[in-house]
Amino acid sequence: MTFLWPQFLWLQTLLPLLVLIYLWLMHRRKAQTLRYASLSLVKEAMGKGPGLKRHIPPLLFLLALSAMLLASARPFAVVTLPMQQETIILAMDVSGSMRATDVKPNRLIASQNAAKAFLAELPRQVRVGIVAFAGTAQVVQPPTLSREDLTAAIDKFQLQRATAIGSAIVISLAELFPDQGIELDALVRGGSRLRGVPIDTTAPKKDVKPFVPVAPGSYGSAAIILLTDGQRTTGIDTLEAAKMAADRGVRVYTVGIGTVDGETIGFEGWSMRVRLDEETLKKVALQTEGEYFYAGTAENLKAVYEKLSARLTVEKKETEISGLLALVGAALALLSAGLSLLWFKRIL
């Protein structure tokens, strides 16, 4: 635990003084009682003493003061809280390599089933968009709360040639930041630097906000989940696109599907060896402050999405807890006063 105003912690040293004052008052009351001529008459009039109950309200009040004084120092602690992310973009590979059967029944079907299970676990208030990519990338479902529309979009996937992982990241960013003028075509033609605001100069003029890079992982309103076998064959360089996401603070969680050894697949008269490129996916996750997950089997893939669901709905972060401590202090003070009134017909 850390404190924004640690100098206020010195106020805690006043609490032992309050304890001494309380003990002095108790001793003084006892001394006044002994002045009566007949102590037995006093005991008969008072009946059975309150015992330890007499000290409970003052003790609760002392704890209340301690909590409030601690709150005045503005403490920070690492706590688990719901994340602020409101939008998730699922970027899913539909390239020919996804027909490989090293994940049963094949990579594509396993990823579709796991994605739909992931959607079912997400809170209903989280918007989800879907980007499908092969030789290029496109938004097949803009961010929506409708799980039915998302499921329908996933079921319509069709395999295509080539794999443009970097393009998928760029299209996802364009969907998340429509006011930044991110244009995939301009990037492919080399019309703009990746670290700036890529603008297609042949397109109609738009109101484009100036782009200022932020710390990686600092954007808490959205995240990208990239599911692929990681072998880029065309399009924008994957790590350059990851740099764009990092400069905008967007975390990219990468999910590697398939096996490192891979297998040989054939399609329309050609064949190729398709392997999982874990190194690139790990670099993308590291660069954007996300995380890499390996999904070598259909069961592993489902487990990965379950973990992602948990990670995207809660997170551990350093948060100021002075308000919580103040609330605890107020509750203890009210409890102290209530017990005192109930037991002794007075406050303390």
Side-chain angles (χ1 to χ4, degrees):
M1 182 180 294
T2 58
F3 298 89
L4 186 61
W5 295 341
Q7 62 270 24
F8 282 89
L9 292 175
W10 289 103
L11 295 174
Q12 295 283 340
T13 60
L14 298 176
L15 298 180
L17 179 61
L18 294 178
V19 174
L20 292 177
I21 293 175
Y22 175 74
L23 294 175
W24 176 76
L25 290 174
M26 294 296 296
H27 177 74
R28 181 183 178 187
R29 179 177 298 176
K30 182 177 181 181
Q32 290 177 343
T33 303
L34 292 175
R35 293 178 185 176
Y36 287 93
S38 176
L39 189 58
S40 60
L41 291 176
V42 174
K43 290 182 178 181
E44 184 178 349
M46 295 179 60
K48 187 179 180 180
L52 292 177
K53 288 172 60 175
R54 178 67 188 89
H55 305 293
I56 293 178
L59 176 61
L60 292 174
F61 185 71
L62 184 70
L63 293 175
L65 285 178
S66 178
M68 292 180 181
L69 291 176
L70 193 62
S72 68
R74 298 188 63 183
F76 283 75
V78 177
V79 296
T80 301
L81 296 172
M83 295 185 76
Q84 298 178 347
Q85 287 172 340
E86 300 173 352
T87 304
I88 294 174
I89 300 295
L90 278 177
M92 301 184 65
D93 193 339
V94 294
S95 62
S97 59
M98 294 294 284
R99 70 176 64 249
T101 58
D102 51 357
V103 177
K104 303 299 182 181
N106 63 39
R107 296 179 182 180
L108 179 65
I109 294 176
S111 66
Q112 288 174 308
N113 293 337
K116 287 185 283 188
F118 169 74
L119 293 174
E121 295 295 328
L122 277 181
R124 298 296 297 185
Q125 70 271 18
V126 178
R127 298 193 313 150
V128 180
I130 298 176
V131 170
F133 66 95
T136 185
Q138 60 179 333
V139 178
V140 296
Q141 175 58 60
T144 179
L145 296 176
S146 173
R147 301 301 187 247
E148 294 76 15
D149 291 345
L150 293 166
T151 299
I154 291 173
D155 287 336
K156 293 178 181 177
F157 285 168
Q158 293 184 352
L159 294 176
Q160 303 172 33
R161 289 187 176 183
T163 306
I165 300 174
S167 299
I169 297 176
V170 171
I171 288 296
S172 299
L173 293 173
E175 191 68 19
L176 293 174
F177 303 101
D179 56 353
Q180 290 189 7
I182 300 175
E183 299 286 350
L184 180 60
D185 291 341
L187 287 174
V188 172
R189 293 196 302 269
S192 302
R193 296 180 60 192
L194 290 177
R195 296 187 60 173
V197 182
I199 304 174
D200 186 352
T201 56
T202 64
K205 297 297 182 180
K206 302 178 182 178
D207 293 330
V208 179
K209 293 183 179 180
F211 172 70
V212 179
V214 298
S218 61
Y219 187 70
S221 297
I224 298 172
I225 299 177
L226 176 68
L227 188 146
T228 178
D229 55 20
Q231 289 187 310
R232 166 185 167 266
T233 61
T234 187
I236 298 168
D237 181 76
T238 303
L239 296 182
E240 289 289 345
K243 178 60 178 174
M244 288 183 63
D247 286 345
R248 289 159 176 78
V250 178
R251 298 177 189 265
V252 180
Y253 296 88
T254 56
V255 181
I257 183 170
T259 58
V260 177
D261 293 334
E263 68 174 34
T264 301
I265 62 172
F267 180 65
E268 295 183 354
W270 58 268
S271 64
M272 64 178 297
R273 187 77 176 177
V274 290
R275 298 182 176 89
L276 172 61
D277 183 7
E278 285 191 300
E279 183 180 355
T280 299
L281 296 182
K282 288 179 180 179
K283 288 180 179 179
V284 170
L286 179 64
Q287 192 170 5
T288 62
E289 296 293 324
E291 191 168 351
Y292 169 72
F293 298 90
Y294 170 67
T297 67
E299 291 72 21
N300 289 346
L301 184 56
K302 292 180 180 178
V304 164
Y305 270 96
E306 290 174 359
K307 291 180 181 179
L308 280 172
S309 178
R311 291 171 189 267
L312 290 170
T313 54
V314 296
E315 68 174 346
K316 290 183 177 181
K317 62 184 299 184
E318 192 174 38
T319 305
E320 183 175 355
I321 59 173
S322 55
L324 177 62
L325 287 174
L327 180 61
V328 171
L332 288 173
L334 289 174
L335 180 61
S336 171
L339 291 178
S340 185
L341 285 173
L342 178 65
W343 291 341
F344 313 117
K345 310 303 179 185
R346 65 177 186 274
I347 298 180
L348 300 181

